[in-house]
Amino acid sequence: MKNIGCHVSNKGYVSMYKDTIYVGGNTFQFFTRNPRGGSSKEIDLEDINKFNQLKKEANFAPLIAHAPYTLNPASSDERVREFALKVFKEDLALLELIDDVYYNFHPGSHVGQGEEKGIELIAEILNMVITPKQKTMVLLETMAGKGSEIGHTFIQLKKIIDKVVYQDKIGVCLDTCHVFDGGYNIKDNLEEVLKEFDDIIGLDKLKAIHLNDSKNELGSRKDRHEKLGLGNLSIEAIRKIINHPKLKDLSFVLETPNELDGYKEEIRMLKEMSE
Ligand code: FE
Ligand code: FE
Ligand code: ZN
């Protein structure tokens, strides 16, 4: 593991940079806007430019911008899909101002329309917003499979990716809590799970890791994050994940239930465990 950071609350870019330095990281994740609502702040160019400069000097790894949870491009309600389209467009325009950042989102829930329809709607919206010249790569997050969530199997993610026109603009962010809750045994069979990912999607599409332990059992389809080592994944599994040759150069971001001091401690521990 070379690149580590945590989810930080968005109080401006320079402020998030400072939080990341405080916890000992060289990358971070942030919400582009209110995660539960959707309103965005006014763009502060001075803050963004200063931030780009600071993180360049500090040699930061690629960041992750997280779309709001309320986004559902697979909804049956046209207004909900239109909201998703608007958010995507605005966020991607904003992210063009920031260097080296991925745009991560939860693919969506098909709410009874069926998986195939949901996949179609997700790909449709992606093809409406992704342009060949944008700098930002969009990442589909692996999901736990709560309710009618799409993206809890590698095949579902592959089906979305296959429908995207600009292939170099789409990738995957693997959430360790989600895949475990989704039934992939990264605790005992990391190698097999990665092989399955590679066979179905291709490991070249994997760009980032959300590093979380899980409060629930393998295959629970629950999605409750836990602090590293306190959940069902165990510290041994975390050690294997961060040191795996196919993963160790990616951006790792913690989404464990912590404040900055807790993240700082986890990052210290991870650096110690890093081979
Ligand atoms: Fe997420
Ligand atoms: Fe996540
Ligand atoms: Zn989650």
Side-chain angles (χ1 to χ4, degrees), residues 29 66 104 106 141-142 173-175 178 210 212 225 255:
Q29 174 172 272
H66 199 305
N104 174 79
H106 296 178
E141 180 168 349
T142 61
C173 171
L174 186 145
D175 186 308
H178 296 179
H210 283 166
N212 304 307
H225 301 189
E255 296 174 317

Side-chain angles (χ1 to χ4, degrees), residues 105-117:
F105 78 108
H106 296 178
S109 297
H110 65 68
V111 288
Q113 303 180 92
E115 198 181 301
E116 293 305 321
K117 179 69 184 170

Side-chain angles (χ1 to χ4, degrees), residues 154 180 183-196 218 233 237 240-241 244:
F154 297 159
F180 185 72
Y184 291 101
N185 194 351
I186 52 170
K187 181 181 180 184
D188 306 307
N189 305 318
L190 178 64
E191 212 55 59
E192 285 88 333
V193 174
L194 291 180
K195 179 165 191 309
E196 193 174 338
L218 174 70
L233 257 185
K240 284 186 191 140
I241 291 165
H244 194 284

Side-chain angles (χ1 to χ4, degrees), residues 125-141:
I125 225 171
L126 286 172
N127 285 326
M128 286 164 87
V129 298
I130 297 177
T131 61
K133 285 190 180 145
Q134 74 187 44
K135 293 189 293 180
T136 309
M137 187 187 279
V138 177
L139 304 184
L140 301 163
E141 180 168 349

Side-chain angles (χ1 to χ4, degrees), residues 40 51 140 154 166 168 226 243 256-257 259:
S40 54
F51 166 68
L140 301 163
F154 297 159
Y166 301 111
D168 58 327
E226 182 53 285
N243 289 308
T256 45
E259 301 296 327

Side-chain angles (χ1 to χ4, degrees), residues 4-270:
I4 182 72
C6 63
H7 187 97
V8 292
S9 61
N10 191 343
K11 303 174 294 319
Y13 291 90
V14 171
S15 157
M16 293 191 285
Y17 169 84
K18 286 180 182 160
D19 283 351
T20 300
I21 295 300
Y22 176 76
V23 297
N26 64 337
T27 180
F28 62 87
Q29 174 172 272
F30 61 102
F31 283 120
T32 49
R33 55 182 73 215
N34 182 333
R36 309 217 174 258
S39 56
S40 54
K41 288 182 219 135
E42 229 167 285
I43 293 174
D44 181 348
L45 269 180
E46 206 183 305
D47 179 47
I48 289 179
N49 291 337
K50 187 165 181 219
F51 166 68
N52 277 330
Q53 189 58 36
L54 284 168
K55 85 182 182 70
K56 189 175 154 198
E57 283 163 11
N59 235 322
F60 266 34
L63 314 174
I64 306 174
H66 199 305
Y69 292 140
T70 41
L71 203 82
N72 186 11
S75 174
S76 56
D77 184 337
E78 203 184 320
R79 282 164 311 175
V80 175
R81 291 203 307 276
E82 262 162 23
F83 172 74
L85 180 67
K86 174 179 170 278
V87 168
F88 265 129
K89 279 187 181 162
E90 285 176 12
D91 283 357
L92 286 171
L94 162 77
L95 294 177
E96 283 304 289
L97 304 171
I98 297 160
D99 299 329
D100 295 318
V101 60
Y102 295 120
Y103 186 49
N104 174 79
F105 78 108
H106 296 178
S109 297
H110 65 68
V111 288
Q113 303 180 92
E115 198 181 301
E116 293 305 321
K117 179 69 184 170
I119 288 170
E120 221 171 87
L121 291 170
I122 294 161
E124 187 180 292
I125 225 171
L126 286 172
N127 285 326
M128 286 164 87
V129 298
I130 297 177
T131 61
K133 285 190 180 145
Q134 74 187 44
K135 293 189 293 180
T136 309
M137 187 187 279
V138 177
L139 304 184
L140 301 163
E141 180 168 349
T142 61
M143 301 311 295
K146 299 192 298 298
S148 65
E149 248 170 23
I150 295 172
H152 64 94
T153 71
F154 297 159
I155 290 175
Q156 291 170 341
L157 296 169
K158 170 65 172 170
K159 284 183 182 168
I160 300 169
I161 293 169
D162 275 348
K163 291 183 195 296
V164 173
V165 175
Y166 301 111
Q167 283 289 306
D168 58 327
K169 305 294 178 208
I170 188 84
V172 175
C173 171
L174 186 145
D175 186 308
T176 55
C177 166
H178 296 179
V179 290
F180 185 72
D181 286 12
Y184 291 101
N185 194 351
I186 52 170
K187 181 181 180 184
D188 306 307
N189 305 318
L190 178 64
E191 212 55 59
E192 285 88 333
V193 174
L194 291 180
K195 179 165 191 309
E196 193 174 338
F197 188 102
D198 198 30
D199 289 345
I200 295 171
I201 302 175
L203 278 171
D204 57 317
K205 282 277 182 231
L206 182 58
K207 303 297 173 185
I209 306 276
H210 283 166
L211 193 62
N212 304 307
D213 209 327
S214 172
K215 282 195 200 294
N216 291 288
E217 301 287 341
L218 174 70
S220 62
R221 295 181 65 164
K222 282 278 192 354
D223 189 2
R224 296 276 313 280
H225 301 189
E226 182 53 285
K227 292 178 181 163
L228 301 183
L230 298 185
N232 288 304
L233 257 185
S234 84
I235 221 60
E236 253 334 287
I238 301 285
R239 182 195 304 275
K240 284 186 191 140
I241 291 165
I242 64 163
N243 289 308
H244 194 284
K246 297 266 171 61
L247 307 178
K248 65 179 185 23
D249 296 335
L250 302 174
S251 288
F252 286 84
V253 168
L254 297 164
E255 296 174 317
T256 45
N258 274 309
E259 301 296 327
L260 286 182
D261 284 323
Y263 282 133
K264 185 177 183 172
E265 178 51 26
E266 284 191 339
I267 288 171
R268 189 199 58 74
M269 175 184 79
L270 288 166

